[in-house]
């Protein structure tokens, strides 16, 4: 295959808060277009899990950043490997959700994970989901979407997911947890969760997944960005 300069490889950046459904929507859009997919939240989750395994504190910015520069991560279909160990389920626990949000406040760690995230930009295109895809990692993305839903709707979606997996869950605790994470993700000093000015706002509280996928595809095909 001919190597294309990165800037000509299309990126659809989808940012938004926890449990907004952006992961599901982003994966379906990627499948529809035959594009690659980057779950940048998974990278912060891997960093939190790797730190836990190595006895590194989620508050220790310098050591976390050094660790992140040498992470041995592999994504293979739907599975994630750290040092050749499958950690697909291990990064989805509530503890690691909290850890990912805590390690993500450190600028040095974010910097150490930047190249890794940008390396996912490969032909024919990339759908990237996270918090700062449109603002920091792919500021030149051709399509920028800020996908959100009310905290109550997101908590209910997460609750349903957990119950379907047979896990015990409490709706009030989930809502509280989401609000704590939203606050930390939006108030941190570096790359806070924020709608980029040139991103399209997609409020999905009243939309099905199919409708949200269609809205992203329509926007990506529209001649202008708003
Ligand atoms: O999307 P997620 O819930 O898997 O992300 C887990 C945490 O990682 C989230 O609370 C904040 C952090 N994160 C980030 O800071 N920047 C990103 N681009 C993606 C995730």
């Amino acid at each position: 295959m001919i190597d294309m300069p990165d800037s000509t490889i299309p990126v659809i950046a989808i940012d938004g808060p926890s449990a907004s459904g952006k992961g599901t929507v982003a994966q379906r859009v990627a499948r529809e277009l035959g594009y690659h997919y980057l779950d940048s939240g998974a990278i912060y989750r891997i960093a939190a899990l790797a730190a836990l395994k190595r006895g590194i504190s989620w508050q220790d910015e310098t050591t976390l950043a050094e660790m992140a520069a040498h992470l041995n991560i592999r994504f293979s279909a739907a599975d994630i490997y750290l040092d050749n160990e499958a950690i697909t389920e291990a990064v989805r626990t509530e503890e690691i959700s909290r850890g990912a949000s805590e390690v993500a406040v450190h600028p040095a760690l974010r910097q150490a994970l930047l190249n890794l995230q940008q390396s996912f930009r490969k032909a024919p295109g990339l759908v990237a989901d996270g918090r700062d895809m449109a603002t920091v990692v792919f500021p030149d993305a051709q399509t920028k979407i800020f996908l959100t839903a009310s905290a109550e709707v997101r908590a209910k979606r997460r609750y349903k997911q957990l119950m379907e997996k047979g896990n015990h869950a409490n709706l009030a605790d989930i809502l509280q947890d989401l609000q704590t994470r939203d606050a930390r993700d939006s108030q941190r000093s570096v790359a806070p969760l924020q709608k980029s000015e040139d991103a399209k706002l997609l409020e999905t509280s009243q939309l099905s997944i199919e409708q949200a996928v269609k809205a992203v595809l329509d926007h990506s095909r529209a001649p202008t960005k708003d």
Side-chain angles (χ1 to χ4, degrees):
M1 188 188 298
I2 303 165
D3 270 348
M4 292 161 81
D6 269 7
S7 59
T8 64
I9 299 175
V11 174
I12 298 179
I14 305 182
D15 292 305
S18 301
S20 55
K22 63 187 179 338
T24 308
V25 172
Q27 282 179 63
R28 294 214 190 170
V29 169
R31 203 180 320 140
E32 192 77 27
L33 297 172
Y35 281 12
H36 300 277
Y37 168 59
L38 166 63
D39 172 2
S40 64
I43 292 183
Y44 287 93
R45 288 168 181 274
I46 295 167
L49 179 68
L52 194 66
K53 282 178 181 282
R54 287 159 211 199
I56 300 168
S57 156
W58 290 336
Q59 271 71 50
D60 182 351
E61 175 167 10
T62 310
T63 314
L64 282 171
E66 279 163 14
M67 175 204 79
H70 303 104
L71 279 179
N72 175 12
I73 303 175
R74 188 161 49 86
F75 288 88
S76 164
D79 285 313
I80 306 172
Y81 295 84
L82 172 65
D83 299 329
N84 291 324
E85 182 194 343
I87 53 157
T88 321
E89 294 299 321
V91 293
R92 296 288 153 201
T93 64
E94 289 304 292
E95 184 190 17
I96 295 300
S97 297
R98 183 169 58 81
S101 171
E102 289 191 20
V103 300
V105 303
H106 302 304
L109 176 82
R110 302 193 72 87
Q111 184 59 38
L113 295 174
L114 197 57
N115 286 345
L116 172 64
Q117 295 174 79
Q118 290 170 337
S119 71
F120 281 75
R121 189 174 193 166
K122 294 208 174 88
L126 175 70
V127 181
D129 98 58
R131 305 293 187 289
D132 61 344
M133 298 296 98
T135 50
V136 176
V137 182
F138 303 108
D140 62 340
Q142 285 77 355
T143 305
K144 299 182 177 184
I145 308 274
F146 192 81
L147 193 152
T148 189
S150 72
E152 287 72 19
V153 166
R154 290 186 284 123
K156 280 188 194 147
R157 287 177 183 165
R158 179 88 183 123
Y159 175 79
K160 195 164 158 252
Q161 254 177 15
L162 288 170
M163 296 304 270
E164 280 168 2
K165 280 194 204 160
N167 292 329
H168 167 77
N170 175 301
L171 187 57
D173 289 350
I174 293 175
L175 179 60
Q176 175 67 55
D177 247 39
L178 273 182
Q179 286 170 330
T180 308
R181 263 193 285 152
D182 280 359
R184 191 167 34 227
D185 293 347
S186 345
Q187 286 161 18
R188 67 181 176 224
S189 58
V190 171
L193 169 66
Q194 225 173 45
K195 180 186 165 302
S196 128
E197 258 182 28
D198 50 354
K200 179 184 171 62
L201 177 66
L202 187 59
E203 197 347 298
T204 67
S205 297
Q206 312 292 332
L207 297 186
S208 66
I209 291 168
E210 289 68 29
Q211 287 170 321
V213 168
K214 182 172 182 306
V216 173
L217 287 171
D218 287 351
H219 186 60
S220 76
R221 288 168 182 146
T224 56
K225 285 193 172 176
D226 47 39

